[in-house]
Structures are given as structure tokens and as C-alpha cells.
Amino acid sequence: MLILVTGATGKVGRRFIAGLLDDPRFTKARIRALCHNRLLPETSRIEVTKGSIADQHVAAAAMKDVTHVLHLATCKETPSAVMDVTVKGLFWLLEAFRTSATAQQFILIGGDAGIGHFYYRHDGPITEDTPHRAYPGSYALSKVLEEVMLEQFAIQYGLNSCCLRAPWIMEKDDFKYTLSFGDDVFGGPDWKTLVPQDDARRYAEAGTVPLLRDANGRPLKRNFVHVDDLVSAILAAIDNPRAKRQLFNICMDRPVDYGEVAAYLAQTRNLGAVDIPSQYHSNWMDNSKARYLLDWQPSYDLERLIDSAWQYERSHDDRRIVWYPG
């Protein structure tokens, strides 16, 4: 087993590589990490190749002798590169995969941006049959195109492919900083821009958290997944015959409810909350299909997600760095 991992230096790539190397089912598996800007150290089981999948020759060389692919490489809101990387790059990988004599399985990590996450109202749970609906911007469009391309290649050429669709992926203290009113906020919304400047400064100093409300005025429900749970789903999908040509929602059993977050932080850490109105829509990704076919289940619920983020202590050489815009 030789697994090509694109986007190998990201939070999912690093955690997946560590998880696979520790898994007794894959003691003979080797990894080829395709890196673009950052590199991983090579070992007896990890080889590193450098380049961009937007280059057909790089993609073809990276695929040589590969049996499995885990495709993680992506762009965020970078219109100048997003089509080259996420569309053309995936095309070159799939072209090399379908003509390879060794290729056995192609796994894509999709995203809930492809179905619009909280930008659109959903009348029921979001399942794998929910139609694609990109929200404004290049990133969401690219996630739609990735999923559709993989699906069509599987139809055209009978590929053994699988897409694991994940919402916002958390690790370490990420979740804590998604709720910050300071400049250290992780992701969006950027809470400090939604309240007066003096209030934002005061909230940041006190650790006050936003209680985001949906378009109906109720606490908003939004989907998350911890990186450890996503990695366990990937490992469950590898060489699983029930994963062939399937799309799975990989997420927490229940979406994060900002009202429940505020109540739990008030109870356990005496933190205040402030209402933030929005025109976003609550939604609920249904992970039943993955639980049934992959015999997988997430280990993180709301309390564990919060506690692990607030208890995490970063070392001095583990600075929070956002590697991409958007």
C-alpha cells in the first residue's frame, strides 16, 4: 500500500499520517506526501515530493506506483489559484489515477461549503442527497466542482472513489478562537466588526463569547467536526467495500448550538455572552449514512469540543498560523 496524500502538511494531513502509521491494520503501508510550500520530514515510511498538482507532470509523477489517494489539497478565497489547484489539479490526479495499473482507491475530502452550510435555509436535515448550492465566493464553488468531478469520473470509468464531506474542522484550541472578539479570531464571522470597537475590546479582555442568532432570532446551529473524528472516518473508509462510489457526511452527531455553547461556558467557566443577530440559517448535517455503512461514529460532542479547546495549552513553537486567506 502506497498512499499519496496531497495537502499533507495541513491539520488533516498531518493527523492522518500520524494515525495511519500508528494503526496496526496498516503496518506495511507507505506514504508519499505531496507538498507545495511546506515540507514534512522523510522517514523509512514517508517520502516527500514537492510541487503543485496544477502541473500535470507533477501530478503524474506523484501518482507513480500509488495504490491509494487521499486528496486534501485545496485553496480558500484565492481566485487567482483556486481553479488551477482545485479543478485542474484534481482533474490531473484523476486522469493519472484512472490510467494507473496500481491505483485502487481515491478518497476526496469535501466540504459543507458545497451545500452552502449556513448561507441557505434547509427545510430538513442535510443528507448526502441535498443538492449542491455554493455560497458567494470562489471556495464554495470549487468544493461543488470537486465533488461533481469525482462523481462523474466514477461514472465514466468505474473508479473506486469515495468523498467524505466535512464541515468546519477543529483541532487543538481552534474552537476557542472561533469565538474570540479579538484580532486572534479564527475563521468567521469576524465578531469584532459586528459590535462597537470599545465593546469588542472589552469582550476580548473578559473572554465574552458571541451568541450568534439565526435569521429567525433563535440561537444558530452550525456543523463542526474534530480532526480526530475525520481521521477515524478516513481510516474506516480505506479499502472498505461499502465506501465504493459513496458520499458521506462526516460531522458531529448534533450541530453546535451557540445558545448551548454560551450556557455551558457560563456554567463551567463563568464567561459572559452577547447576542449577535444574523441572516444566517441554522442547519443540521445528518451523519447516519457514515455511521451505518462505515460503522463509524464521532467521539466529540459539544462538551468535549469546548473542554478540549479551553484546556489546550500551546507550546512556544506551536504558534497559531493561518496559511491561507479567506
Side-chain angles (χ1 to χ4, degrees):
M1 181 182 286
L2 175 59
I3 303 180
L4 173 65
V5 181
T6 70
T9 58
K11 72 170 68 172
V12 181
R14 288 178 180 272
R15 184 65 189 86
F16 167 75
I17 290 172
L20 182 108
L21 295 179
D22 287 341
D23 194 316
R25 294 176 298 158
F26 303 112
T27 54
K28 296 183 179 180
R30 294 176 296 120
I31 291 168
R32 178 174 296 152
L34 179 56
C35 303
H36 185 210
N37 293 315
R38 295 170 285 158
L39 298 177
L40 292 176
E42 291 194 313
T43 71
S44 60
R45 295 178 66 189
I46 302 174
E47 63 175 272
V48 175
T49 185
K50 194 173 189 299
S52 171
I53 57 173
D55 184 327
Q56 181 182 8
H57 300 293
V58 170
M63 195 67 71
K64 186 178 188 310
D65 299 326
V66 160
T67 59
H68 297 68
V69 177
L70 175 61
H71 183 40
L72 300 166
T74 189
C75 290
K76 280 285 189 175
E77 294 298 343
T78 49
S80 62
V82 68
M83 291 297 122
D84 284 338
V85 173
T86 62
V87 178
K88 188 163 68 174
L90 176 57
F91 177 79
W92 292 136
L93 287 175
L94 288 170
E95 279 288 285
F97 183 87
R98 75 174 180 86
T99 57
S100 169
T102 59
Q104 297 176 24
Q105 186 182 31
F106 194 108
I107 298 176
L108 168 70
I109 303 304
D112 69 345
I115 41 86
H117 72 88
F118 63 19
Y119 279 80
Y120 302 114
R121 186 185 302 276
H122 294 273
D123 294 329
I126 297 171
T127 71
E128 291 78 3
D129 295 323
T130 298
H132 289 109
R133 284 198 292 177
Y135 57 80
S138 59
Y139 174 66
L141 177 61
S142 76
K143 302 313 285 183
V144 172
L145 297 177
E146 282 181 333
E147 290 191 9
V148 172
M149 191 187 306
L150 184 73
E151 176 189 54
Q152 293 304 311
F153 259 79
I155 292 170
Q156 288 178 287
Y157 307 109
L159 302 187
N160 178 16
S161 61
C162 172
C163 180
L164 304 179
R165 179 190 284 160
W168 201 357
I169 303 165
M170 297 286 105
E171 69 163 354
K172 301 177 179 177
D173 54 5
D174 282 350
F175 188 69
K176 177 179 180 179
Y177 286 93
T178 67
L179 302 172
S180 172
F181 278 94
D183 293 328
D184 54 3
V185 64
F186 176 55
D190 187 354
W191 308 108
K192 67 180 180 296
T193 67
L194 304 179
V195 297
Q197 188 175 24
D198 290 342
D199 289 348
R201 188 179 301 110
R202 188 173 72 255
Y203 296 152
E205 291 173 355
T208 301
V209 298
L211 198 171
L212 185 62
R213 295 191 176 272
D214 64 20
N216 294 319
R218 295 188 290 263
L220 186 124
K221 291 179 171 62
R222 182 179 185 180
N223 299 283
F224 290 82
V225 68
H226 193 275
V227 66
D228 288 350
D229 286 332
L230 177 55
V231 166
S232 71
I234 298 169
L235 294 172
I238 293 177
D239 284 342
N240 189 332
R242 304 181 83 179
K244 185 175 182 179
R245 295 174 63 175
Q246 296 293 333
L247 166 66
F248 297 102
N249 288 337
I250 305 298
C251 54
M252 293 169 60
D253 286 338
R254 293 170 53 87
V256 165
D257 181 309
Y258 280 84
E260 294 176 0
V261 171
Y264 187 74
L265 286 172
Q267 174 189 348
T268 60
R269 291 169 175 82
N270 199 31
L271 297 180
V274 60
D275 275 6
I276 302 290
S278 81
Q279 291 304 305
Y280 298 131
H281 299 282
S282 292
N283 57 48
W284 188 311
M285 286 181 72
D286 182 355
N287 64 12
S288 299
K289 183 178 176 182
R291 293 168 65 95
Y292 176 66
L293 289 180
L294 298 181
D295 194 24
W296 165 88
Q297 64 180 34
S299 62
Y300 279 77
D301 58 11
L302 178 67
E303 293 184 2
R304 186 178 180 191
L305 184 70
I306 293 172
D307 289 340
S308 63
W310 258 260
Q311 293 166 5
Y312 187 83
E313 295 184 9
R314 284 185 178 265
S315 61
H316 294 300
D317 59 352
D318 185 21
R319 294 180 299 128
R320 171 176 296 282
I321 300 174
V322 177
W323 294 98
Y324 46 77

